Each structure stands twice: as C-alpha cells, then as structure tokens.
Amino acid sequence: MSDARRRLPAVHALVAEAEAAGLGDGAPRTALVESARDLLVAARAAGGTPPASGWLAALAERLASRERPSLARVLNASGVVLHTNLGRAPLAEAARRAVADALGYSTLEYDRSAGSRGSRQSHVHDLLARCTGAADALVVNNAASAVLLALTALAAGGETIVSRGELVEIGGAFRIPDILEKSGSVLVEVGTTNRTRLSDYVLALGARTRCVLKVHRSNFAVSGFVEETGVDALVEAMGGRGIPVVHDVGSGLLLDLGPWGLSGEPLVRDSAATGALTVFSADKLLGGPQAGIVVGPQALVARLAADPLARAVRPDKITLAALEATLRLYRDPATAVQAIPVLHMLTTDAATLKRRARRLARRIPGATTTPGVSAVGGGAFPDAELATTLVAVPVPSPDTTLAALRQGEPPVIARAGADAVLLDVRTLADAELREVADAVARARAPKKGTEP
Ligand SMILES: *Cc1c(COP(=O)(O)O)cnc(C)c1O
C-alpha cells in the first residue's frame, strides 16, 4: 500500500468529524456512513489523493447527490415539446391542483348521492363524450394497453386485419404485430407497404375475422405513390358485417391546430364520428397525464370494460384527477390553448419567442440569439418544423457544458451547436429564464475539483 493510501482517514473518523460539523442533519445516519465509505473507496482508487476541496466538502457533495430525488424536475430547453424522456406533457396548473387535492382520500369510486360504490370512470366519462362526440369512453393506463385491451376483448381467438403499411413500431418497443400476438388475435396482413385499398380488406374477410385495426403512422411520414383506406370507408364497409374497426390515432388531438399551421394529425372527433372505436394517448397532444383513452359506440366500449384485462390496466386516482381537470379546460378552446402547456407551447407566436430568447440572452454573458427550429415530439406532427429563436451560448466544449447542465440542480436539458450550447425558449416558461441563466453560469464556471 502506498503512503498516500495509508494516510486516508478511517470511515468512522470521517463520519464522526462530519457529524460534529452538523453535516448530514436530516439524512439517515446510514446515508452518511455509506457516502463516507464511497468517498474513501474512490479516493483509494485514485491513489489516495485527498479531495482538492477537503474531505468534509467532498463528503457533503456526495451525500447531497445521494439524497436528492431520482425523479426530479428538469428545465426543458431542448425545444422538444412532447419529450418522452422528460415525461411528455407537462400538466396544466388546474391539473396539478386537482392531483394535489386527490392525493388523500377522494371520491375515486364513491357515489356521493347514493353513499355507495361508484365508478372511477364516471369523473371523465361525460367530459370525454363532450370533447370527442363519442357515446362512451374508457380510460386505462396508456394507449399501448388500450390497444391491447381492445384487441383482447374484441378479437382474441379470431383474426384481426391490418394494412401492411400500418404494421409500425411506435417508441419504446410498441410494435403492432407483437401487441396483436399478445392479445391472442391472429394478424392478417393486407395490401402493401405503400398502398392498401378497401378491396384488400374486404377480400381478407372470413368466418374468423373479428376486427379491423387501423393505426395512425404517427412517428414517420410516407409520400409518393401511396394510398390508404380512410377509417370512414372501413367502418362503412365493415359495419354491415358486424366487424368493429379499432382506430389507433395516437396523439389525442382534441382541437384543430390548423390555424397555427399544424395539420396532418387525425382529430379524435373525426375518427369517433365514423363509428370506429378510437384509441389515443392522454399525454401527447391532449396535454394531460399518462393514460390511454378509448371512445366509441357503447356496445363496443362495454365489451372492453367487461374484459378481465381492463382491471389490470385501470388508471389510478392521480391520473383521473389530472385528466378530469385537463378535459374541463377543453370546454372553451381559447382557454385550452392558453392553459394547457402543450397547446400553449405549440401555438406560441414567433415574436413572443424572439422576445423571450432576447430576455434570456441578456442574462447570459456572451450569448446571442439565432433563428432555429423546435420539434413537436412524441411522434406527433413528424413533419412539422416550428420556427423558434434559440439562445446560443459560446463554450469551448458544448458536450462538457451540456453534461454540467444535466448534472446541475435543477438539471437543464439543452442542445449542442457548433462551439455553442443552444437553448430553445419554446419549452421554457418566462418564470424559468432566471433559473436557466443561473444554471448556465454555474455550468460554465471552472470546476472546483471537489472529488478526489
Ligand atoms: C404514442 C402512440 C401509441 C402509444 O401510446 P402510449 O400512451 O405511449 O402507450 C400507440 N399508438 C400510436 C399511433 C401512438 O402514436
């Protein structure tokens, strides 16, 4: 053993010194002891060099990073509005308040007028009917489980017809052929990658056909020699034969964003109007909590609700509280666009973004503003290019500064440019600009070298 290693303090001595200095107050003693042990292991591995900032400061830093929550708030300066890794849709203020109120005992499954058991679905049922025009609705854990539930309830033991152009993968290994297999329904592929006609579906009908599945290609675009069969034509052709059409529209668009230059995503209302069973996410364009929503004719929704799998994928009180509050905001479209963060960020005008970027740049020495592009994210509007104004912070190594920003408190997620870190203000609130500027200052400051 080298002399330097021999001179390392003992764990108990370091802990005693830390406790005498009041370090670790509020944290369990085991956390302090384990932090001290980790620090000494790291110091030994580094050849016994004591930390530049001193033992106590290094221990304090280790303890703090150990004790901070793993699931933490971040400042999203990436400009990706529906950033799946950052929790997709940030909730509206009203939804946050509703969640806080529902955390204790709540009326989750309690019918106040009867004083007896009620349905957890009742809180959002009428709101969903009003927002989508559908007769009935069911909320589950997420859209992937909603598709699985629909296929299980309607088509297990039989066949499901799907266009070859819609056998897609959507994020996190959600693959249509795999979901079908799990549901116990046999996949019958029709058409080709680029073209599927109504006649292709009709020719595939047989005694074992239970369902037709149509999937919105949400995370990519096809162009050129392409043809697909609309959900309206499918429902019309299948309705007379008693074959339900399940339409997975993905992003849950409840309001037409065409006036803001965003088109191409299916509106839930249009799909539901055809009589299809429409499936969508609540935490994409809808702007609510993670959930999957199914709307459609009563007879079909009832079959899903009665399936044993429904119990396995049911939503909790936190989800339902947030969803109810979010859906209430949709009763007035102007309110929805202002109060639902996803819609607000997607529809912020160029002049506002430019002003916000300039305000942020003024707080960061050397920063400039430059035109750029934000993304919708979440697989929605894959072709959309949202013009924005970026704040460019010149740094010697963008990757090093980005890493320091990620590790900071609170973490800031930004983008790399050439010799600069780029901050997109579309996904930042005005009230967050000061925090971002402070975080950038800390990330640019020379590292004090507190670790051994
Ligand atoms: C996002 C998406 C899903 C999965 O939704 P989750 O709510 O994340 O489970 C399924 N289908 C389509 C078309 C999607 O865009």
Side-chain angles (χ1 to χ4, degrees):
M1 206 195 287
S2 72
D3 280 354
R5 287 192 205 181
R6 230 186 295 274
R7 278 197 300 274
L8 286 175
V11 173
H12 67 87
L14 185 52
V15 168
E17 194 187 338
E19 280 180 324
L23 203 148
D25 285 356
R29 185 160 192 277
T30 49
L32 184 61
V33 173
E34 281 164 27
S35 300
R37 198 169 288 141
D38 291 350
L39 179 63
L40 289 164
V41 167
R44 199 165 292 125
T49 332
S53 60
W55 288 107
L56 282 192
L59 181 55
E61 191 175 299
R62 253 182 204 266
L63 184 65
S65 85
R66 215 191 118 99
E67 288 300 292
R68 71 184 183 199
S70 170
L71 183 71
R73 165 181 179 247
V74 307
L75 296 166
N76 179 7
S78 73
V80 181
V81 176
L82 291 169
H83 199 307
T84 298
N85 303 148
L86 303 185
R88 281 202 190 148
L91 294 183
E93 273 310 315
R96 293 173 191 229
R97 283 197 302 273
V99 166
D101 279 348
L103 290 176
Y105 292 123
S106 68
T107 55
L108 180 64
E109 283 189 357
Y110 191 71
D111 180 338
R112 273 196 274 188
S113 54
S116 62
R117 183 172 179 178
S119 160
R120 67 178 60 211
Q121 300 285 341
S122 68
H123 310 292
V124 289
H125 184 278
D126 293 357
L127 286 165
L128 280 169
R130 213 174 315 150
C131 287
T132 66
D136 207 353
L138 184 72
V139 179
V140 296
N141 182 58
N142 59 1
S145 56
V147 175
L148 177 64
L149 175 62
L151 296 173
T152 304
L154 303 178
E159 294 173 351
T160 297
I161 304 176
V162 190
S163 160
R164 288 198 171 87
E166 297 172 9
L167 293 173
V168 296
E169 170 174 320
I170 294 149
F174 175 78
R175 293 177 150 193
I176 295 298
D178 297 344
I179 296 286
L180 257 164
E181 196 180 318
K182 274 282 167 207
S183 75
S185 185
V186 175
L187 166 64
V188 175
E189 302 178 20
V190 294
T192 60
T193 307
N194 56 331
R195 293 174 74 111
T196 305
R197 300 180 189 85
L198 182 58
S199 56
D200 294 322
Y201 288 94
V202 172
L203 282 171
L205 286 168
R208 288 168 48 75
T209 307
R210 296 284 176 276
C211 174
V212 170
L213 173 65
K214 184 163 177 60
V215 184
H216 175 58
R217 290 182 282 237
S218 53
N219 49 0
F220 67 105
V222 283
S223 60
F225 190 58
V226 293
E227 177 177 346
E228 69 172 296
T229 308
V231 67
D232 45 351
L234 279 175
V235 174
E236 202 180 311
M238 300 298 151
R241 298 170 167 93
I243 305 292
V245 176
V246 175
H247 190 198
D248 177 6
V249 295
S251 61
L253 184 62
L254 297 184
L255 274 185
D256 182 9
L257 297 181
W260 289 275
L262 288 167
S263 55
E265 281 291 316
L267 268 165
V268 172
R269 175 174 290 278
D270 292 345
S271 170
T274 66
L277 191 67
T278 307
V279 176
F280 52 99
S281 281
D283 59 348
K284 292 184 182 172
L285 292 174
L286 192 153
Q290 180 193 301
I293 301 176
V294 185
V295 300
Q298 241 143 21
L300 292 180
V301 175
R303 284 171 68 187
L304 271 60
D307 193 280
L309 187 59
R311 173 64 172 75
V313 294
R314 75 178 185 183
D316 74 328
K317 62 189 174 197
I318 297 175
T319 301
L320 289 166
L323 185 59
E324 178 185 355
T326 306
L327 291 171
R328 277 181 195 282
L329 297 169
Y330 275 99
R331 288 177 303 179
D332 173 37
T335 303
V337 168
Q338 279 307 308
I340 296 174
V342 168
L343 300 181
H344 186 66
M345 289 187 274
L346 289 176
T347 58
T348 307
D349 62 82
T352 302
L353 293 170
K354 194 173 210 168
R355 273 199 305 277
R356 193 182 296 157
R358 287 192 175 146
R359 248 193 332 267
L360 177 57
R362 275 200 296 275
R363 290 178 175 276
I364 302 174
T368 55
T369 60
T370 174
V373 179
S374 326
V376 179
F381 296 112
D383 283 341
E385 295 209 336
L386 303 168
T388 188
T389 304
L390 302 171
V391 174
V393 183
V395 291
S397 159
D399 284 346
T400 307
T401 308
L402 286 174
L405 284 169
R406 289 197 300 272
Q407 292 295 330
E409 205 57 56
V412 176
I413 311 302
R415 286 193 247 162
D419 304 319
V421 159
L422 302 175
L423 306 161
D424 189 337
V425 293
R426 182 184 294 276
T427 44
L428 293 171
D430 284 326
E432 292 173 331
L433 299 185
R434 172 192 285 270
E435 269 183 295
V436 172
D438 290 348
V440 169
R442 284 193 298 272
R444 284 167 111 187
K447 186 100 175 79
K448 288 193 298 287
T450 47
E451 291 287 289

